[in-house]
Amino acid sequence: MNLSFIQPPQVEWASGVLADGPLLRKSTRIQDLAGVFADEPARQQLAGERVVYDVEMLDTSPAEGELYTGVTHLYPGRVGREYFMTRGHFHARREQGEVYFGLRGNGLLLLQTEQGEARLENIFAGSIHIIPGFTAHRLINTGSDVLSALAVWPGVAGHDYMALASGFKLRLFEENQTIQVKEVQNG
Ligand code: PAN
Ligand code: ZN
């Protein structure tokens, strides 16, 4: 039999660069993140075009039972003293979970339940993060390199950005070269 072997898409583990697949790309910039950081005047002083994070994902089926695969590249930087972070979300289908794999850089994965309980996991090359259903998630880059993480999530999960539009319970700031966690009362 003369079967040909299918060439699958690839991820370069060290950089998180995806190749050989139909890809979708989205850049999120300072101008897209109004109200996300604690210091809104500081955000307005930064160049609106500056990219905070890029997401690259395989353009695969969103049908029930199928999985999406994507890489987030979260750049180092701060708005005021607050570290660059993703917008963060619950899944629209709350019961749907996700797995994140740290590829490069250093940072934190902020998780928050619907009851408002928040926790932080260290993320680094090789770390594995099981995000259960009913749990909002946000990446925070506390390092000086790009933080890249691979994610796999159900095509039906969807994103609900509104539920935590007023913010998560914890915020991460740089103070005197150390990472400070602050609890927000209305988060
Ligand atoms: C990730 C995120 C990605 C960008 O692919 O969508 O890190 O973060 P925001 O969607 O919060 O802007 C994921 O969690 N997908 O479900
Ligand atoms: Zn998600």
Side-chain angles (χ1 to χ4, degrees), residues 81-93:
R81 304 225 67 85
E82 191 172 16
Y83 296 105
F84 273 11
M85 59 191 182
T86 57
R87 184 184 295 279
H89 58 269
F90 280 105
H91 289 153
R93 287 258 309 255

Side-chain angles (χ1 to χ4, degrees), residues 110-142:
L110 172 56
L111 299 167
Q112 186 168 318
T113 66
E114 289 189 301
Q115 290 70 41
E117 288 149 14
R119 60 189 193 274
L120 291 160
E121 295 186 358
N122 270 318
I123 180 161
F124 51 88
S127 63
I128 300 172
H129 308 269
I130 310 292
I131 303 170
F134 305 97
T135 306
H137 38 287
R138 157 180 281 172
L139 287 169
I140 302 164
N141 189 346
T142 55

Side-chain angles (χ1 to χ4, degrees), residues 68-83:
Y68 278 146
T69 303
V71 177
T72 300
H73 302 284
L74 175 60
Y75 300 103
R78 291 194 309 265
V79 175
R81 304 225 67 85
E82 191 172 16
Y83 296 105

Side-chain angles (χ1 to χ4, degrees), residues 89 91 98 100 137 153 158-159:
H89 58 269
H91 289 153
E98 182 160 3
Y100 277 20
H137 38 287
W153 70 100
H159 297 102

